[in-house]
mmCIF file of all heavy atoms in Angstrom:
data_model
loop_
_atom_site.group_PDB
_atom_site.id
_atom_site.type_symbol
_atom_site.label_atom_id
_atom_site.label_comp_id
_atom_site.label_asym_id
_atom_site.label_seq_id
_atom_site.Cartn_x
_atom_site.Cartn_y
_atom_site.Cartn_z
ATOM 1 N N TRP A 30 -4.515 -5.928 6.933
ATOM 2 C CA TRP A 30 -5.585 -6.491 6.109
ATOM 3 C C TRP A 30 -5.000 -7.538 5.167
ATOM 4 O O TRP A 30 -5.533 -8.631 5.018
ATOM 5 C CB TRP A 30 -6.248 -5.363 5.344
ATOM 6 C CG TRP A 30 -7.504 -5.702 4.589
ATOM 7 C CD1 TRP A 30 -8.189 -6.880 4.606
ATOM 8 C CD2 TRP A 30 -8.213 -4.843 3.708
ATOM 9 N NE1 TRP A 30 -9.287 -6.801 3.779
ATOM 10 C CE2 TRP A 30 -9.322 -5.558 3.210
ATOM 11 C CE3 TRP A 30 -8.013 -3.536 3.283
ATOM 12 C CZ2 TRP A 30 -10.228 -5.009 2.313
ATOM 13 C CZ3 TRP A 30 -8.931 -2.989 2.396
ATOM 14 C CH2 TRP A 30 -10.017 -3.714 1.925
ATOM 15 N N ALA A 31 -3.867 -7.217 4.545
ATOM 16 C CA ALA A 31 -3.222 -8.159 3.625
ATOM 17 C C ALA A 31 -2.801 -9.430 4.353
ATOM 18 O O ALA A 31 -2.924 -10.530 3.801
ATOM 19 C CB ALA A 31 -2.008 -7.495 2.969
ATOM 20 N N ALA A 32 -2.310 -9.279 5.562
ATOM 21 C CA ALA A 32 -1.839 -10.439 6.322
ATOM 22 C C ALA A 32 -2.977 -11.420 6.624
ATOM 23 O O ALA A 32 -2.739 -12.626 6.768
ATOM 24 C CB ALA A 32 -1.183 -9.986 7.619
ATOM 25 N N SER A 33 -4.201 -10.914 6.688
ATOM 26 C CA SER A 33 -5.323 -11.802 7.009
ATOM 27 C C SER A 33 -6.122 -12.207 5.764
ATOM 28 O O SER A 33 -7.119 -12.918 5.884
ATOM 29 C CB SER A 33 -6.254 -11.128 8.020
ATOM 30 O OG SER A 33 -6.852 -9.981 7.458
ATOM 31 N N GLU A 34 -5.663 -11.791 4.597
ATOM 32 C CA GLU A 34 -6.372 -12.103 3.347
ATOM 33 C C GLU A 34 -5.909 -13.448 2.793
ATOM 34 O O GLU A 34 -4.716 -13.668 2.615
ATOM 35 C CB GLU A 34 -6.124 -10.988 2.324
ATOM 36 C CG GLU A 34 -6.729 -11.219 0.979
ATOM 37 C CD GLU A 34 -8.221 -11.474 1.025
ATOM 38 O OE1 GLU A 34 -8.953 -10.633 1.598
ATOM 39 O OE2 GLU A 34 -8.649 -12.517 0.493
ATOM 40 N N ALA A 35 -6.856 -14.323 2.538
ATOM 41 C CA ALA A 35 -6.528 -15.660 2.033
ATOM 42 C C ALA A 35 -6.091 -15.649 0.569
ATOM 43 O O ALA A 35 -5.234 -16.427 0.163
ATOM 44 C CB ALA A 35 -7.734 -16.586 2.198
ATOM 45 N N ASP A 36 -6.658 -14.759 -0.210
ATOM 46 C CA ASP A 36 -6.345 -14.684 -1.640
ATOM 47 C C ASP A 36 -5.041 -13.895 -1.816
ATOM 48 O O ASP A 36 -4.993 -12.698 -1.544
ATOM 49 C CB ASP A 36 -7.492 -14.002 -2.378
ATOM 50 C CG ASP A 36 -7.308 -13.982 -3.892
ATOM 51 O OD1 ASP A 36 -6.161 -13.802 -4.367
ATOM 52 O OD2 ASP A 36 -8.327 -14.132 -4.592
ATOM 53 N N GLU A 37 -3.987 -14.566 -2.261
ATOM 54 C CA GLU A 37 -2.669 -13.931 -2.365
ATOM 55 C C GLU A 37 -2.662 -12.768 -3.353
ATOM 56 O O GLU A 37 -1.948 -11.786 -3.150
ATOM 57 C CB GLU A 37 -1.603 -14.955 -2.739
ATOM 58 C CG GLU A 37 -0.195 -14.406 -2.750
ATOM 59 C CD GLU A 37 0.209 -13.661 -1.481
ATOM 60 O OE1 GLU A 37 -0.154 -14.098 -0.367
ATOM 61 O OE2 GLU A 37 0.882 -12.615 -1.591
ATOM 62 N N LYS A 38 -3.467 -12.849 -4.406
ATOM 63 C CA LYS A 38 -3.523 -11.737 -5.364
ATOM 64 C C LYS A 38 -4.114 -10.490 -4.710
ATOM 65 O O LYS A 38 -3.628 -9.379 -4.916
ATOM 66 C CB LYS A 38 -4.340 -12.130 -6.592
ATOM 67 C CG LYS A 38 -3.648 -13.144 -7.474
ATOM 68 C CD LYS A 38 -4.519 -13.510 -8.660
ATOM 69 C CE LYS A 38 -3.846 -14.599 -9.488
ATOM 70 N NZ LYS A 38 -4.692 -15.017 -10.615
ATOM 71 N N VAL A 39 -5.143 -10.683 -3.917
ATOM 72 C CA VAL A 39 -5.757 -9.565 -3.201
ATOM 73 C C VAL A 39 -4.778 -9.035 -2.156
ATOM 74 O O VAL A 39 -4.596 -7.816 -2.017
ATOM 75 C CB VAL A 39 -7.093 -9.993 -2.550
ATOM 76 C CG1 VAL A 39 -7.642 -8.890 -1.654
ATOM 77 C CG2 VAL A 39 -8.107 -10.376 -3.615
ATOM 78 N N ALA A 40 -4.135 -9.933 -1.429
ATOM 79 C CA ALA A 40 -3.169 -9.524 -0.406
ATOM 80 C C ALA A 40 -2.042 -8.699 -1.020
ATOM 81 O O ALA A 40 -1.615 -7.685 -0.453
ATOM 82 C CB ALA A 40 -2.604 -10.746 0.311
ATOM 83 N N ARG A 41 -1.570 -9.110 -2.189
ATOM 84 C CA ARG A 41 -0.491 -8.368 -2.859
ATOM 85 C C ARG A 41 -0.948 -6.952 -3.194
ATOM 86 O O ARG A 41 -0.216 -5.985 -2.972
ATOM 87 C CB ARG A 41 -0.077 -9.103 -4.140
ATOM 88 C CG ARG A 41 1.021 -8.412 -4.911
ATOM 89 C CD ARG A 41 1.410 -9.218 -6.167
ATOM 90 N NE ARG A 41 2.372 -8.492 -6.948
ATOM 91 C CZ ARG A 41 2.076 -7.535 -7.836
ATOM 92 N NH1 ARG A 41 0.820 -7.211 -8.055
ATOM 93 N NH2 ARG A 41 3.023 -6.917 -8.505
ATOM 94 N N LEU A 42 -2.161 -6.816 -3.714
ATOM 95 C CA LEU A 42 -2.680 -5.483 -4.042
ATOM 96 C C LEU A 42 -2.840 -4.621 -2.796
ATOM 97 O O LEU A 42 -2.563 -3.415 -2.820
ATOM 98 C CB LEU A 42 -4.009 -5.606 -4.783
ATOM 99 C CG LEU A 42 -3.925 -6.195 -6.184
ATOM 100 C CD1 LEU A 42 -5.332 -6.418 -6.739
ATOM 101 C CD2 LEU A 42 -3.112 -5.303 -7.104
ATOM 102 N N LEU A 43 -3.258 -5.235 -1.705
ATOM 103 C CA LEU A 43 -3.393 -4.488 -0.452
ATOM 104 C C LEU A 43 -2.030 -4.008 0.047
ATOM 105 O O LEU A 43 -1.894 -2.866 0.497
ATOM 106 C CB LEU A 43 -4.075 -5.352 0.612
ATOM 107 C CG LEU A 43 -5.545 -5.671 0.345
ATOM 108 C CD1 LEU A 43 -6.028 -6.744 1.311
ATOM 109 C CD2 LEU A 43 -6.392 -4.421 0.445
ATOM 110 N N ARG A 44 -1.017 -4.870 -0.059
ATOM 111 C CA ARG A 44 0.339 -4.463 0.350
ATOM 112 C C ARG A 44 0.849 -3.316 -0.514
ATOM 113 O O ARG A 44 1.455 -2.365 -0.010
ATOM 114 C CB ARG A 44 1.291 -5.648 0.306
ATOM 115 C CG ARG A 44 1.094 -6.629 1.456
ATOM 116 C CD ARG A 44 2.214 -7.653 1.532
ATOM 117 N NE ARG A 44 2.190 -8.580 0.415
ATOM 118 C CZ ARG A 44 1.470 -9.680 0.359
ATOM 119 N NH1 ARG A 44 0.707 -10.027 1.376
ATOM 120 N NH2 ARG A 44 1.520 -10.474 -0.692
ATOM 121 N N ILE A 45 0.589 -3.385 -1.803
ATOM 122 C CA ILE A 45 0.995 -2.304 -2.702
ATOM 123 C C ILE A 45 0.287 -1.000 -2.317
ATOM 124 O O ILE A 45 0.910 0.067 -2.262
ATOM 125 C CB ILE A 45 0.696 -2.672 -4.168
ATOM 126 C CG1 ILE A 45 1.637 -3.780 -4.630
ATOM 127 C CG2 ILE A 45 0.806 -1.454 -5.080
ATOM 128 C CD1 ILE A 45 1.250 -4.406 -5.961
ATOM 129 N N SER A 46 -0.993 -1.087 -2.044
ATOM 130 C CA SER A 46 -1.742 0.108 -1.643
ATOM 131 C C SER A 46 -1.172 0.711 -0.369
ATOM 132 O O SER A 46 -1.056 1.939 -0.249
ATOM 133 C CB SER A 46 -3.222 -0.227 -1.447
ATOM 134 O OG SER A 46 -3.807 -0.557 -2.681
ATOM 135 N N GLY A 47 -0.807 -0.137 0.576
ATOM 136 C CA GLY A 47 -0.202 0.359 1.810
ATOM 137 C C GLY A 47 1.109 1.069 1.550
ATOM 138 O O GLY A 47 1.369 2.151 2.094
ATOM 139 N N THR A 48 1.929 0.490 0.700
ATOM 140 C CA THR A 48 3.208 1.104 0.352
ATOM 141 C C THR A 48 2.989 2.458 -0.305
ATOM 142 O O THR A 48 3.719 3.420 -0.030
ATOM 143 C CB THR A 48 4.003 0.170 -0.574
ATOM 144 O OG1 THR A 48 4.212 -1.067 0.113
ATOM 145 C CG2 THR A 48 5.339 0.757 -0.965
ATOM 146 N N GLU A 49 1.970 2.555 -1.144
ATOM 147 C CA GLU A 49 1.654 3.826 -1.793
ATOM 148 C C GLU A 49 1.232 4.877 -0.772
ATOM 149 O O GLU A 49 1.528 6.059 -0.938
ATOM 150 C CB GLU A 49 0.573 3.625 -2.850
ATOM 151 C CG GLU A 49 1.082 2.874 -4.068
ATOM 152 C CD GLU A 49 -0.023 2.494 -5.035
ATOM 153 O OE1 GLU A 49 -1.214 2.728 -4.746
ATOM 154 O OE2 GLU A 49 0.310 1.947 -6.096
ATOM 155 N N GLU A 50 0.541 4.467 0.284
ATOM 156 C CA GLU A 50 0.170 5.407 1.342
ATOM 157 C C GLU A 50 1.418 6.017 1.979
ATOM 158 O O GLU A 50 1.490 7.233 2.182
ATOM 159 C CB GLU A 50 -0.668 4.703 2.419
ATOM 160 C CG GLU A 50 -2.036 4.282 1.973
ATOM 161 C CD GLU A 50 -3.014 5.430 1.850
ATOM 162 O OE1 GLU A 50 -2.878 6.430 2.574
ATOM 163 O OE2 GLU A 50 -3.930 5.313 1.024
ATOM 164 N N SER A 51 2.397 5.178 2.282
ATOM 165 C CA SER A 51 3.636 5.689 2.874
ATOM 166 C C SER A 51 4.400 6.579 1.903
ATOM 167 O O SER A 51 4.964 7.603 2.302
ATOM 168 C CB SER A 51 4.535 4.537 3.337
ATOM 169 O OG SER A 51 4.008 3.974 4.515
ATOM 170 N N ALA A 52 4.417 6.204 0.635
ATOM 171 C CA ALA A 52 5.094 7.028 -0.368
ATOM 172 C C ALA A 52 4.429 8.396 -0.468
ATOM 173 O O ALA A 52 5.105 9.421 -0.606
ATOM 174 C CB ALA A 52 5.090 6.325 -1.728
ATOM 175 N N HIS A 53 3.116 8.427 -0.369
ATOM 176 C CA HIS A 53 2.402 9.702 -0.387
ATOM 177 C C HIS A 53 2.814 10.550 0.811
ATOM 178 O O HIS A 53 3.057 11.752 0.677
ATOM 179 C CB HIS A 53 0.891 9.467 -0.394
ATOM 180 C CG HIS A 53 0.099 10.721 -0.389
ATOM 181 N ND1 HIS A 53 -0.675 11.099 0.663
ATOM 182 C CD2 HIS A 53 -0.003 11.709 -1.312
ATOM 183 C CE1 HIS A 53 -1.237 12.268 0.393
ATOM 184 N NE2 HIS A 53 -0.852 12.656 -0.798
ATOM 185 N N ALA A 54 2.903 9.946 1.979
ATOM 186 C CA ALA A 54 3.332 10.679 3.172
ATOM 187 C C ALA A 54 4.733 11.254 2.973
ATOM 188 O O ALA A 54 4.998 12.399 3.356
ATOM 189 C CB ALA A 54 3.300 9.763 4.395
ATOM 190 N N ASP A 55 5.622 10.488 2.361
ATOM 191 C CA ASP A 55 6.980 10.968 2.094
ATOM 192 C C ASP A 55 6.960 12.167 1.147
ATOM 193 O O ASP A 55 7.677 13.157 1.360
ATOM 194 C CB ASP A 55 7.847 9.864 1.495
ATOM 195 C CG ASP A 55 8.115 8.730 2.466
ATOM 196 O OD1 ASP A 55 7.950 8.925 3.693
ATOM 197 O OD2 ASP A 55 8.477 7.635 1.991
ATOM 198 N N ARG A 56 6.139 12.099 0.104
ATOM 199 C CA ARG A 56 6.065 13.213 -0.846
ATOM 200 C C ARG A 56 5.509 14.466 -0.184
ATOM 201 O O ARG A 56 6.003 15.572 -0.413
ATOM 202 C CB ARG A 56 5.217 12.830 -2.062
ATOM 203 C CG ARG A 56 5.896 11.828 -2.984
ATOM 204 C CD ARG A 56 5.135 11.619 -4.284
ATOM 205 N NE ARG A 56 3.764 11.160 -4.098
ATOM 206 C CZ ARG A 56 3.404 9.886 -4.000
ATOM 207 N NH1 ARG A 56 4.309 8.920 -4.051
ATOM 208 N NH2 ARG A 56 2.130 9.560 -3.853
ATOM 209 N N VAL A 57 4.508 14.316 0.637
ATOM 210 C CA VAL A 57 3.935 15.460 1.342
ATOM 211 C C VAL A 57 4.974 16.072 2.278
ATOM 212 O O VAL A 57 5.123 17.293 2.337
ATOM 213 C CB VAL A 57 2.656 15.060 2.111
ATOM 214 C CG1 VAL A 57 2.203 16.173 3.037
ATOM 215 C CG2 VAL A 57 1.547 14.696 1.143
ATOM 216 N N ALA A 58 5.723 15.235 2.983
ATOM 217 C CA ALA A 58 6.760 15.741 3.889
ATOM 218 C C ALA A 58 7.813 16.531 3.112
ATOM 219 O O ALA A 58 8.253 17.598 3.561
ATOM 220 C CB ALA A 58 7.408 14.587 4.653
ATOM 221 N N ARG A 59 8.208 16.024 1.954
ATOM 222 C CA ARG A 59 9.199 16.746 1.130
ATOM 223 C C ARG A 59 8.627 18.078 0.647
ATOM 224 O O ARG A 59 9.323 19.092 0.636
ATOM 225 C CB ARG A 59 9.655 15.881 -0.052
ATOM 226 C CG ARG A 59 10.590 14.768 0.369
ATOM 227 C CD ARG A 59 11.309 14.120 -0.811
ATOM 228 N NE ARG A 59 10.455 13.606 -1.854
ATOM 229 C CZ ARG A 59 9.923 12.375 -1.881
ATOM 230 N NH1 ARG A 59 10.180 11.523 -0.908
ATOM 231 N NH2 ARG A 59 9.163 11.991 -2.892
ATOM 232 N N ALA A 60 7.370 18.088 0.254
ATOM 233 C CA ALA A 60 6.741 19.325 -0.203
ATOM 234 C C ALA A 60 6.690 20.357 0.930
ATOM 235 O O ALA A 60 6.973 21.536 0.715
ATOM 236 C CB ALA A 60 5.329 19.040 -0.736
ATOM 237 N N ILE A 61 6.342 19.902 2.112
ATOM 238 C CA ILE A 61 6.304 20.814 3.263
ATOM 239 C C ILE A 61 7.683 21.391 3.542
ATOM 240 O O ILE A 61 7.831 22.592 3.778
ATOM 241 C CB ILE A 61 5.716 20.093 4.500
ATOM 242 C CG1 ILE A 61 4.232 19.846 4.294
ATOM 243 C CG2 ILE A 61 5.965 20.912 5.770
ATOM 244 C CD1 ILE A 61 3.602 18.924 5.321
#
């Protein structure tokens, strides 16, 4: 989604959100 977003500020926020999704997966894996 970020790669196709023309507004760089929006794209940056989307990339951050994606990174947070992966970080959440890492935390859940550690908890398990």
Side-chain angles (χ1 to χ4, degrees):
W30 189 6
S33 65
E34 177 55 55
D36 185 322
E37 185 51 39
K38 289 179 184 178
V39 173
R41 179 179 175 277
L42 292 173
L43 292 169
R44 285 191 291 275
I45 290 169
S46 293
T48 301
E49 289 172 355
E50 291 285 331
S51 286
H53 179 247
D55 293 341
R56 288 189 302 272
V57 170
R59 286 194 305 272
I61 290 169

